[in-house]
Amino acid sequence: MDKLRAVEAISGADLVSAQFACEMDSRDSLAHLRSEFVVPKVNQVGGKSGTDNGDKECIYMCGNSLGLQPKRARRVVCEELDEWAHKGVTGHFRHAQQRPWVSYREPVVAKMAPIVGAKPAEVGVMNSLTTNIHLMLAAFYRPTAQRYKVLIEGKAFPSDHYAVESQIRWHELPANAMLLAEPRPGEHTLRTNDILDLIAREGASIAVVMLSGVQYYTGQAFEIARITAAAQASGCVVGWDLAHAAGNVPLHLHDWNVDFACWCTYKYMNSGPGGIAGFFVHERHTDNSDLRRLLGWWSHDQRTRFDMTNEFVPSPGAAGFELSNTPILTSAALLGALQAFELAPLQRLHQKSVLLTTYLEHLLLARVGSHIQIITPQKHRGAQLSLLFASEHVFTRVFDALTRAGVVCDERKPNCIRIAPVPLYNSFSDVWQCVDTIYSAVAH
């Protein structure tokens, strides 16, 4: 907030004015990154504001659900289609761009590892998020008579809940093997100390702690380092679902000593709808022969993989957890998307993200504060703010107005709207126009 106030003082533009948003955009050293993305037009996303602005770019505030298409993703996918057309099967070993398909994972994980704070050898790319959660739990969830519970959020994303629930049933364990962390009565978010207290009380019975890096509904960013250390001190394995965290908040998975993590790549990493997922296994586990990991051909050491001996030799690192050959077209989209992250230091992207979300919060409170409750914690969050409206009627009126104006965000009924300005492609003017649309809807 201090930086915003400083610009207000220097420029003379009122912080809640459209002029101030333009002033911030003019000072944004990362503004050029927007040109790396394809921004849909208002009339393409269902906007109905008339022909005057139907051909203008929409206000896209939904990177927490699906990121915009990077132009580089299209280019890299087209390059792979050309390789397939011109090389056929030989593209596995000979590639015009020096990306032979047989080792395609390597440039992908090399670019993704810094974003999650890992060594490349600790990162893998395969499948989708929930499939990878199941594969990680197959290796790391080893219940005993005394230690058999899995701790998750009471309001975890349904897929996580179902995955853990089905793992418990598969092991033929009682329903109380799922331990739920709930907010205090009347609160929307979990307090870190309450999570730590729960682990301290139940730790001897917990096999795995698996929480979200950023909670999908509230936007709360969990204190991964503190929770991981406390759970491991109680003898628990700790995994994280980073679907809403990867590419959004600073992560240091290796340094935080996280056991495993999984994430999708189509939100803040912009790999495209249903894009291939990523995972992390700390290096201290990757060569552990005691882990009951599930195996496939691609788990085998690439140096002898094509010898076809059926005598398994694991690939070193996270690669030893991958099952099948890398899906090239979805990985190509991810590879192109990750190239955008190399155009600016991650720290500067995070700094802009903090500014955008702080600005969004200030405008919301200043202009429509009496109509909303922001349930996302101020100190622990990423790009997303989650707004609760006093009634379903107001919520519906606001969301319909946003849709008509070509402002893309998402709803969680009965009364929550999630807004996520993304530093790679959103501007301060985007934020101002989004809030102005909400203001118009509630004021009239």
Side-chain angles (χ1 to χ4, degrees):
M1 195 67 202
D2 289 345
K3 184 168 183 179
L4 295 172
R5 289 294 186 193
V7 173
E8 181 184 42
I10 294 170
S11 67
D14 190 294
L15 206 150
V16 299
S17 68
Q19 180 187 354
F20 179 84
C22 293
E23 182 69 28
M24 288 298 295
D25 286 337
S26 71
R27 296 168 179 265
D28 180 12
S29 62
L30 302 181
H32 64 284
L33 295 178
R34 182 183 178 96
S35 65
E36 293 283 331
F37 293 84
V38 181
V39 183
K41 306 299 183 184
V42 168
N43 55 17
Q44 292 174 324
V45 297
K48 300 177 181 179
S49 297
T51 57
D52 290 344
N53 67 354
D55 289 331
K56 293 182 180 179
E57 291 181 344
C58 74
I59 307 300
Y60 196 85
M61 309 289 275
C62 208
N64 59 316
S65 185
L66 176 66
L68 287 180
Q69 182 187 111
K71 295 175 182 177
R72 293 169 188 255
R74 176 186 288 270
R75 187 196 71 202
V76 177
V77 169
C78 288
E79 288 172 354
E80 300 309 334
L81 288 171
D82 288 343
E83 285 296 297
W84 180 20
H86 302 152
K87 302 275 180 62
V89 71
T90 65
H92 282 90
F93 304 98
R94 295 169 50 245
H95 196 288
Q97 305 296 327
Q98 308 306 310
R99 296 192 301 261
W101 299 332
V102 73
S103 56
Y104 207 85
R105 67 176 304 281
E106 294 175 9
V108 177
V109 301
K111 294 181 185 301
M112 190 155 52
I115 299 174
V116 296
K119 297 180 179 181
E122 295 174 314
V123 175
V125 56
M126 64 176 176
N127 306 316
S128 58
L129 172 58
T130 306
T131 301
N132 289 345
I133 287 175
H134 276 296
L135 290 171
M136 293 298 106
L137 289 175
F140 287 100
Y141 180 40
R142 305 182 66 173
T144 66
Q146 292 75 34
R147 191 182 289 275
Y148 62 96
K149 295 180 181 178
V150 181
L151 172 61
I152 63 171
E153 305 134 68
K155 293 185 178 180
F157 193 78
S159 188
D160 288 12
H161 187 104
Y162 303 151
V164 170
E165 190 175 48
S166 62
Q167 285 276 336
I168 288 168
R169 285 201 307 267
W170 190 84
H171 284 282
E172 299 182 339
L173 294 169
N176 73 347
M178 181 186 288
L179 183 62
L180 302 179
E182 301 280 6
R184 295 185 183 188
E187 297 184 358
H188 296 282
T189 55
L190 286 160
R191 301 189 187 189
T192 300
N193 286 340
D194 289 350
I195 297 173
L196 301 184
D197 289 344
L198 179 58
I199 292 170
R201 290 195 309 270
E202 300 282 348
S205 66
I206 298 174
V208 175
V209 172
M210 196 184 80
L211 302 173
S212 302
V214 172
Q215 217 280 338
Y216 84 97
Y217 182 80
T218 66
Q220 176 185 10
F222 288 105
E223 296 184 72
I224 296 176
R226 288 184 65 193
I227 294 169
T228 298
Q232 289 173 342
S234 293
C236 313
V237 170
V238 184
W240 292 89
D241 175 349
L242 302 177
H244 289 266
N248 176 20
V249 296
L251 296 170
H252 305 280
L253 298 183
H254 176 84
D255 292 344
W256 291 339
N257 207 38
V258 167
D259 291 297
F260 71 89
C262 301
W263 58 90
C264 56
T265 63
Y266 53 79
K267 301 181 189 300
Y268 296 99
M269 287 190 183
N270 312 303
S271 71
I276 193 165
F279 70 96
F280 165 90
V281 178
H282 198 280
E283 66 179 1
R284 71 182 189 282
H285 294 303
T286 52
D287 298 317
N288 182 358
S289 59
D290 292 333
L291 285 178
R292 295 180 297 184
R293 67 176 89 172
L294 299 178
L295 303 175
W297 188 27
W298 237 244
S299 314
H300 187 101
D301 192 324
Q302 64 175 343
R303 292 169 295 186
T304 57
R305 184 180 293 148
F306 286 88
D307 292 352
M308 308 297 202
T309 63
N310 285 354
E311 295 177 1
F312 183 75
V313 178
S315 290
F321 288 76
E322 296 178 6
L323 303 186
S324 302
N325 55 318
T326 307
I328 298 304
L329 297 182
T330 53
S331 297
L334 174 57
L335 182 62
L338 292 173
Q339 291 174 3
F341 283 88
E342 297 181 318
L343 301 177
L346 291 174
Q347 183 179 7
R348 287 176 60 196
L349 286 170
H350 177 61
Q351 289 169 346
K352 180 180 175 181
S353 180
V354 171
L355 274 178
L356 284 169
T357 304
T358 301
Y359 181 53
L360 171 63
E361 179 184 51
H362 179 82
L363 289 180
L364 287 167
L365 294 176
R367 303 193 68 190
V368 297
S370 62
H371 299 276
I372 63 167
Q373 178 186 5
I374 299 175
I375 61 173
T376 310
Q378 196 171 61
K379 291 185 178 180
H380 300 291
R381 67 189 183 197
Q384 173 185 322
L385 291 184
S386 297
L387 320 181
L388 295 186
F389 289 82
S391 70
E392 189 170 356
H393 172 71
V394 175
F395 156 80
T396 301
R397 187 168 78 240
V398 169
F399 193 78
D400 287 349
L402 289 166
T403 302
R404 287 195 303 272
V407 181
V408 181
C409 46
D410 73 2
E411 60 178 345
R412 287 293 182 267
K413 293 182 178 179
N415 65 332
C416 180
I417 293 177
R418 304 184 304 168
I419 303 173
V422 174
L424 281 169
Y425 49 76
N426 279 125
S427 67
F428 291 88
S429 293
D430 286 344
V431 172
W432 190 89
Q433 292 179 57
C434 173
V435 176
D436 192 57
T437 303
I438 296 173
Y439 171 78
S440 297
V442 299
H444 305 292

